[in-house]
Each structure stands twice: as C-alpha cells, then as structure tokens.
Amino acid sequence: MTTKQYYTNASSRNKPYISKKKNSFIRKLITFFKGIVFLSVLFLLVYVVYFSSLKIYSNIIHSDFFNVSTVEVHIEGDLSKQDILKEMDLDSNENLLLLNLTKLSEKINQNPWVKSVQLKRQLPDKLIVHVTTKSAYAIVKNKDLYFIDQNGAFIKKIAPGEFTNYPIFTGLDEYFNDPIRIKTYVGKMFELYELFINNPSFGKDFISEINLDKNLGFSIFVSGTSQKIIFGFEDFSKRLLRLNTVM
C-alpha cells in the first residue's frame, strides 16, 4: 500500500487573509484622512464666512448710509407730529437697522393720548410711524378732573389751562372700580348729552353738567344757572319732548 503524503504551506494559506486585512485598514485610514480634510475645509469655510459677515455688519452699522434722515409720521387723531417726535427722542445719527422698534414704541405710548403705534423701517434711511390717538368724550370729577373715553376709561388728568370744552360728568365716584357699571352709566350720560346736542332747541351749550344720583337717576345742570332738570334712569327722549313744551 502506497502512503500518500500531503504538504501544507501555512504561509501560502494565510497570505490572502493578511492581504485583505491590510487593504481594509488602508481603506479605513484613507477614509479617516478624507474626513479630516473635509472637516478642515468646512471649518475654514465657516471661519471665512463668519468673519466676512462680521466685517460687512461692522461696515453697515458704522456707515452713514443707513442713518435715519426722514421720519414720516401719520396720525389718526389730534396729536401733532412734534408731539410724537418729542416722545421718540431720536438722535440725528441713529442707524435705522439698529433701532429697537419695541422700545421706541413703548416711548411713544408714554403719551396718554396714544392708543396704538406701528413702526416700519423703509431702507435705506426712512422710519415710518403710524399713530392712532384716543378721543376724549367727557370730563369726570374724581377729586380732580380727568378726560375719559367713550367707555368711561381715564385718559389723563386735566392740567391747569388745558382745553376743556367737553361735558362734565359727576356722581360717578363710587363706580370707578366697577368697569361694567361705569361703562353703563357713562353710556347713559352720553345718550342724554347727545339728545341735547342734536336738538336744535338746546344744543351742547345748554348743558354745563350731567350728574348721576343713585336715587334720582340722571340730571342735567343748565349752563349759567343753578337750574337742575331730573331725567331719571330711562325714557330720556320722552322726557326731553316734554321739556321742549315747557322751555
């Protein structure tokens, strides 16, 4: 019997495995360095863009090109442009892009006659201001005299010598902390007042004061006299017709 002998070359058997492992390592190394190069380029690009933006921003904010040269003011109401500009208190070299419109709006709203404000930039150098004002409908006495709007809300205290050609409403002192009742009672007073100003026999100059008494209701005081006419709480139109017949 012939015995067959086999010779195994170990180094030859392991060579493909080592080669594959080496190639895999090289590929990973190349991929790693590619990633490093990509991140380096990306970082450099971000750096260039960031500092270029800072340079552009610095040039813009220090340029006279964007300084406010025109303030266009639109007012719905009785305030003047000078009233608004005084509240804004803008410097002549204010940069339009750096203006804090929220704070500027708050400054304008400090004027008690201002109801709402809208501000808008118009590049390169114009600021547009829209202001809506409150309207006074009457004067109320609550220790001092105050302007009120049509809902009975206080606008401001009347300063000495300030224009006061409005009807005076009295007797409301105990209701100022009750928004619903004060609005109702002021509404009634306006209703009574408008009946007089729209009646050719009387007119707005006929009344010097409208008073509320919780027992008697609403009364008017005739201008230039101490005469008081009681209207009660309802049916003002009917009572005014009867007054027409006796006046």
Side-chain angles (χ1 to χ4, degrees):
M1 179 181 293
T2 305
T3 304
K4 294 182 179 181
Q5 296 182 0
Y6 297 92
Y7 299 91
T8 303
N9 189 333
S11 62
S12 176
R13 184 182 61 189
N14 293 335
K15 188 173 182 180
Y17 173 76
I18 294 172
S19 178
K20 288 179 180 179
K21 188 175 182 180
K22 184 178 180 180
N23 289 341
S24 176
F25 173 77
I26 292 173
R27 283 195 298 270
K28 288 180 180 179
L29 192 63
I30 291 172
T31 301
F32 173 77
F33 279 110
K34 282 182 178 179
I36 293 294
V37 171
F38 174 76
L39 290 176
S40 298
V41 172
L42 182 62
F43 176 79
L44 181 62
L45 184 61
V46 171
Y47 178 86
V48 170
V49 171
Y50 175 73
F51 281 97
S52 297
S53 299
L54 284 181
K55 182 66 175 176
I56 293 171
Y57 175 76
S58 178
N59 290 337
I60 288 175
I61 65 174
H62 291 99
S63 170
D64 293 341
F65 183 69
F66 291 101
N67 283 357
V68 178
S69 64
T70 304
V71 179
E72 188 176 292
V73 181
H74 303 274
I75 302 173
E76 294 179 26
D78 297 327
L79 288 177
S80 69
K81 179 179 178 179
Q82 292 305 314
D83 292 327
I84 303 303
L85 294 177
K86 182 180 178 181
E87 297 292 350
M88 293 170 65
D89 191 28
L90 281 179
D91 293 333
S92 58
N93 59 348
E94 291 271 13
N95 188 295
L96 182 64
L97 300 178
L98 297 181
L99 281 178
N100 188 323
L101 298 189
T102 299
K103 288 187 176 179
L104 198 56
S105 178
E106 289 173 354
K107 289 171 70 175
I108 297 173
N109 274 307
Q110 289 178 358
N111 188 308
W113 290 103
V114 173
K115 182 178 182 180
S116 64
V117 180
Q118 290 182 324
L119 301 175
K120 180 182 177 182
R121 297 182 180 91
Q122 183 173 304
L123 298 177
D125 58 359
K126 180 186 285 189
L127 178 65
I128 302 174
V129 184
H130 290 272
V131 176
T132 303
T133 66
K134 300 172 185 175
S135 296
Y137 280 78
I139 297 168
V140 296
K141 187 174 182 181
N142 183 26
K143 295 182 180 179
D144 295 304
L145 296 177
Y146 294 86
F147 290 114
I148 60 169
D149 65 16
Q150 60 185 343
N151 295 318
F154 284 86
I155 297 176
K156 68 180 292 288
K157 181 180 176 181
I158 298 176
E162 196 165 9
F163 180 69
T164 58
N165 190 22
Y166 297 94
I168 299 177
F169 295 167
T170 59
L172 298 168
D173 307 53
E174 62 182 284
Y175 305 113
F176 286 122
N177 293 325
D178 186 338
I180 296 177
R181 293 180 76 181
I182 195 69
K183 183 176 181 179
T184 300
Y185 292 148
V186 167
K188 286 287 187 180
M189 288 176 157
F190 280 129
E191 179 187 343
L192 182 55
Y193 179 67
E194 287 174 358
L195 285 174
F196 273 89
I197 64 175
N198 293 323
N199 189 312
S201 299
F202 299 103
K204 68 177 183 178
D205 294 330
F206 183 81
I207 299 175
S208 64
E209 179 185 332
I210 300 178
N211 175 261
L212 170 63
D213 183 283
K214 59 184 177 182
N215 296 315
L216 299 176
F218 298 95
S219 305
I220 67 152
F221 287 86
V222 180
S223 297
T225 73
S226 58
Q227 186 178 1
K228 177 181 179 179
I229 303 173
I230 300 172
F231 277 79
F233 289 97
E234 301 292 342
D235 298 325
F236 297 154
S237 297
K238 292 180 181 179
R239 294 174 188 268
L240 185 59
L241 285 175
R242 289 201 296 266
L243 182 62
N244 257 325
T245 62
V246 298
M247 293 297 289

